[in-house]
Structures are given as structure tokens and as C-alpha cells.
Amino acid sequence: MAARLPVARALTRLSRPTALSPITQHNTITAHNRHNARTFSRSSHHRLMEMSNFTENQLTVRDAILKVTEQFPDEYWQERDRTETDPTDFHAALAADGWLGIALPEEFGGSGLGISEATMMLQTITQSGAGMAGAQSIHANVYATQPLAKFGNQQQLESTIPDIISGKTRVCFGVTEPNTGLDTLRLKTSATKSADGQSYSVSGQKIWITCAQVAKKMILLARTTPLEQVKKPNEGLSMFCIDLDKSAPGLEMKKIRKMGGNAVDANEVFFDNYQIPADTLVGAEGQGFKIILHGMNAERCLLAGEALGIGYAALTKAATYAKERVVFGRPIGQNQAIAHPLADSYMQLEAAKLATYHATSLYDRSKDDRSITTHAVGVAANSAKYLAAEAAYTACERAVMSHGGMGYAREYNVERYLREIFVPRIAPVSREMIKNYISTQVLGMPRSY
């Protein structure tokens, strides 16, 4: 139980009985606590989403995260976006209460909870007004560490996981490359083992690496056997957990100026014979693609939750404005041309919400239930990510249009949501590739690529 004390401290702020550890006691939260969870969840930022049928753990996480996000209002995120300043104090606040370890093992200080709870955490963050910038500041800590926690050896886990949870070490994820994009099996970054077997030399380029400027560790996927020497393209890739030593030779980073989420950096990362110790290899050499897949379905679930949060936040702003803005002697929300699109977006978000938390449930239950296949989890996770991103994008666009000219003004926040909601539509896999996946893997269509 001691491993979960940081999370328990956060929940104590909700004035719940200190005799209970709300995260530890999965099935024993009292009726009094249930009442508090649902009452608090009806705050002005979050009252739109229907909260029935969520678990006690999810409601508990939501309430506690809301307490943290209340310290970081819209003005905070507007300023971070304008100045392109990393939200280090927001990251520190979540770390102080143990939230960076929500889905990491208890034995290393984590909470040992599932992707269902982690998705609720990230949705609550984006829905608070933090948007993708807030989520991305901790995103990799949740999903990129899943393969490490599952396949890392004891020494790797003991030396990295506690520092990640405490906030001392931030993590980034190094997979995407400029010349391969979504064709991960043909990535070109190489890791060549030294003659004495004590190190690897990394050369190549990664792109769109979030938080690389502030990260101390990277979960890196690189090719240890040339593509032409393997029987299958998914062989010969290896996963590493490496230090990002910006003072060491062979490592260079270049920030990418981007459309939204400007509070967190995105980067091109260049490796030129960058030396890493052999003991940074995670799992078996050549099995990196299979290992990294363990985090990919989790990431799709998390992105779905993040998209939902922005969608609900935008819809809340739009509905509030439509009730208050008076034109031609009456509130604009009285006009069906305003009201109906917003009502439609609400239903789209609610449907995507059900798909999202269905996917997270399958992901978590699949660890113990062999009847839930990896295929089923993949279909659900990809579908949820697609549906949530599309529903949220529509909600954000309608929120801007419902505000009229003021939707273009930064002080109303909806333009920031619209800029940021493109991320879940594009990453980590495009809408078109999800449709390809569903058409081939579910409908049995011939592969087009």
C-alpha cells in the first residue's frame, strides 16, 4: 500500500476518509465517496458528459485530477501557448501527487491501475482547458513506459521507473522518421553493436518527437539488423531506453514550429554515431517491434480520451456562449441553426465516449482474459481513436463558428482547441490508415498498401 501513497495524498484533498486508500481499495469505496465523486464531477467544466456507468476508480481519478487542474486556468494555458513555454509546474504538480505512475507497477512506486483510469486522467486534463498541451506534457510517461514496464529487466526498471513517476525524469518516444512516416517496419535509424558487445552506435533521424528538449530518456526503436537481412520486415528492430545527453557527441535536436500545442516542444532528433550502452536494450534484440506494439494500442486509447476532453470543453464553451449572446433581441442558442449542430456534436461525443471506454476496458481485461484477443483490442482501440478525434474536431469547429467573430479571438479559447484537435486526427496513426486497418482486418478487403 505504501507504493500508492502519493496518489492517496492527492485524493485526501477531496476530504475523503483517510483510512481508505481510494486507488488501492478498488472495490471498497463507500457510498459517501460515490456521492462526492458524482457531485464534484458536475463542475462547470465537466457537467456536459454523462458520468453514469463509470467505475469508482475512474470517478476517483477524475475528481482528484480536477483538483489539480483547477490550479491551472485557461489564462495559464493561453500564456504557455503564446510564449511557447513548457508547463513544467503543471507536470510537477501531477508528479507530486503520484499521477505520472498511474499505470506503472506498484513495486516501483506506481499505482498499478489500467489504461481505463489513465485515459480518464488524460481526458480530464484536456477537458479542463489544458488541451493537448497539458496532455502531451505527460502523455509519453503513460504509454511509452508500458513496453518498458512489461519487458524491461529488474535493473532497468529500478533505475528508471521511480524517477519517471517522481517527475525527475521526463520521457519521449522515438519511433517516427521523416522518410518512412507510418511505415514503421522500414524505419532507417540503425543501432550497430560494437565489437566488444558493450555498446551500440546509433545513426539516423527521428521526427515529431514531443518533449525531447526537456526529456532525459527516450524510448527508441531502431534497426539492429538491416532490412535486407531479415526474413520478415517486423524482425531486426530493437527497443532501447536511452539517455538523451545533449552535451554528448552525435546528438542534435531541432525544434519544429507548429500550429498548436505550442507549450510543448516537437522536434527533429539527429543521431550520428551516438553511443549508448548495451544494457539500454529492452527485451531481446530484434524483437523491438513486437515489444513496441504493447504501447501502441494503449496510445490510441489515450489519444481518444484526450480528443474527447477537448471536444467536451469546446462544446461547453459554445453552449455557454450561445445562451448568453443576444442578437436580434434573443439568445443565439434559441436559433436551431446554432442549437442543432451543438446537439448533434453532443451525441457524437457521447457515442465516441462509449467506444473509447469499451476499448480501454478490453485493453485492461485482456491481460487476464485470454478470450480477449489482441485483434479485438486493436480494432476497438483504433475505432475509438478515429471516432473520438472526428467527433471532437466537429465539436471544435462548431464551437468556433457558434462564437462568430469572437471564435477567432484567443481569449475565448475555442480557436486554441481547434488548432490542437488536429493532433488526434493525425497522430499516432492517420484516419486513412485506420480505415485501411478496419477494411482489411475486419472486412477482409484486399490490402491497398
Side-chain angles (χ1 to χ4, degrees):
M1 186 174 294
R4 290 178 178 171
L5 284 178
V7 176
R9 283 201 301 272
L11 295 173
T12 299
R13 296 177 185 173
L14 296 179
S15 301
R16 292 180 174 175
T18 56
L20 286 176
S21 174
I23 298 298
T24 304
Q25 302 296 328
H26 282 254
N27 299 307
T28 58
I29 298 180
T30 64
H32 172 71
N33 287 341
R34 289 198 299 270
H35 172 74
N36 284 349
R38 288 181 172 85
T39 299
F40 188 76
S41 68
R42 296 191 183 104
S43 70
S44 60
H45 282 293
H46 294 75
R47 68 166 61 98
L48 277 186
M49 186 173 73
E50 173 56 49
M51 293 303 298
S52 301
N53 206 37
F54 283 104
T55 69
E56 296 296 350
N57 285 331
Q58 289 169 324
L59 292 172
T60 300
V61 168
R62 179 182 173 86
D63 288 356
I65 295 299
L66 279 172
K67 281 293 186 182
V68 177
T69 59
E70 283 175 350
Q71 305 168 47
F72 302 90
D74 288 337
E75 293 75 15
Y76 172 88
W77 295 105
Q78 290 171 1
E79 180 67 11
R80 291 300 184 276
D81 183 69
R82 183 184 67 81
T83 60
E84 300 186 9
T85 304
D86 188 84
T88 51
D89 41 357
F90 176 72
H91 181 274
L94 291 168
D97 287 335
W99 292 112
L100 302 187
I102 188 169
L104 290 172
E106 294 177 75
E107 61 184 298
F108 302 110
S111 300
L113 292 179
I115 293 302
S116 297
E117 290 81 10
T119 299
M120 177 62 76
M121 176 179 76
L122 286 163
Q123 179 184 337
T124 304
I125 289 170
T126 58
Q127 197 169 342
S128 74
M132 288 304 299
Q136 287 185 311
S137 70
I138 68 164
H139 181 90
N141 289 73
V142 179
Y143 86 90
T145 53
Q146 293 299 302
L148 175 64
K150 183 175 178 62
F151 296 99
N153 60 43
Q154 192 71 13
Q155 185 276 330
Q156 289 171 333
L157 298 181
E158 290 177 352
S159 64
T160 58
I161 298 296
D163 285 345
I164 291 170
I165 293 171
S166 71
K168 181 179 178 180
T169 296
R170 289 177 70 170
V171 179
C172 63
F173 196 46
V175 175
T176 305
E177 295 185 2
N179 296 318
T180 56
L182 294 171
D183 195 0
T184 303
L185 297 180
R186 287 173 173 79
L187 61 78
K188 301 183 184 303
T189 297
S190 63
T192 304
K193 201 168 190 177
S194 63
D196 61 7
Q198 298 301 304
S199 64
Y200 288 86
S201 177
V202 180
S203 293
Q205 181 182 354
K206 298 294 181 180
I207 197 169
W208 294 112
I209 310 305
T210 302
C211 292
Q213 297 285 343
V214 294
K216 291 184 178 180
K217 294 279 188 181
M218 173 186 279
I219 305 298
L220 171 70
L221 188 64
R223 184 161 287 286
T224 46
T225 304
L227 183 61
E228 60 272 15
Q229 295 179 20
V230 296
K231 294 180 179 179
K232 298 179 181 179
N234 65 355
E235 297 174 349
L237 294 167
S238 299
M239 191 183 108
F240 301 85
C241 180
I242 68 172
D243 290 327
L244 286 183
D245 184 354
K246 300 172 184 64
S247 64
L251 178 64
E252 182 184 351
M253 297 183 191
K254 181 181 178 182
K255 287 182 68 173
I256 301 171
R257 298 298 300 276
K258 51 195 171 75
M259 178 181 184
N262 295 311
V264 293
D265 57 87
N267 303 270
E268 294 178 273
V269 180
F270 303 88
F271 297 103
D272 184 9
N273 291 317
Y274 183 66
Q275 300 300 305
I276 60 174
D279 63 8
T280 60
L281 176 69
V282 178
E285 187 176 287
Q287 298 299 306
F289 185 73
K290 294 179 181 179
I291 293 173
I292 218 85
L293 283 176
H294 185 72
M296 288 186 174
N297 284 331
E299 187 183 22
R300 284 151 174 71
C301 291
L302 298 176
L303 257 297
E306 291 164 18
L308 285 175
I310 297 179
Y312 281 114
L315 189 58
T316 298
K317 296 282 190 186
T320 301
Y321 187 82
K323 288 182 285 187
E324 296 174 350
R325 173 65 168 160
V326 175
V327 179
F328 298 118
R330 66 184 195 177
I332 63 172
Q334 192 172 341
N335 302 315
Q336 291 179 349
I338 298 292
H340 283 185
L342 299 183
D344 178 71
S345 279
Y346 172 78
M347 291 184 282
Q348 288 184 32
L349 288 168
E350 285 289 297
K353 177 194 72 178
L354 297 178
T356 296
Y357 288 97
H358 167 68
T360 65
S361 176
L362 285 183
Y363 183 95
D364 290 337
R365 288 164 48 211
S366 67
K367 296 176 182 179
D368 301 314
D369 187 344
R370 293 185 178 181
S371 69
I372 300 174
T373 63
T374 302
H375 171 78
V377 175
V379 169
N382 279 281
S383 299
K385 185 266 187 188
Y386 178 93
L387 294 169
E390 294 305 296
Y393 174 80
T394 301
C396 289
E397 182 188 32
R398 289 171 175 173
V400 170
M401 298 305 291
S402 296
H403 280 72
M406 299 316 295
Y408 209 60
R410 290 195 172 188
E411 67 177 291
Y412 282 78
N413 294 288
V414 289
E415 62 82 31
R416 175 165 58 89
Y417 299 156
L418 182 59
R419 285 187 285 117
E420 295 189 355
I421 199 58
F422 279 93
V423 173
R425 297 183 90 205
I426 298 169
V429 58
S430 68
R431 300 177 301 158
E432 291 72 24
M433 286 302 290
I434 288 179
K435 289 177 180 178
N436 284 336
Y437 175 81
I438 296 298
S439 63
T440 57
Q441 299 299 315
V442 177
L443 302 179
M445 301 292 181
R447 184 166 174 163
S448 62
Y449 61 96

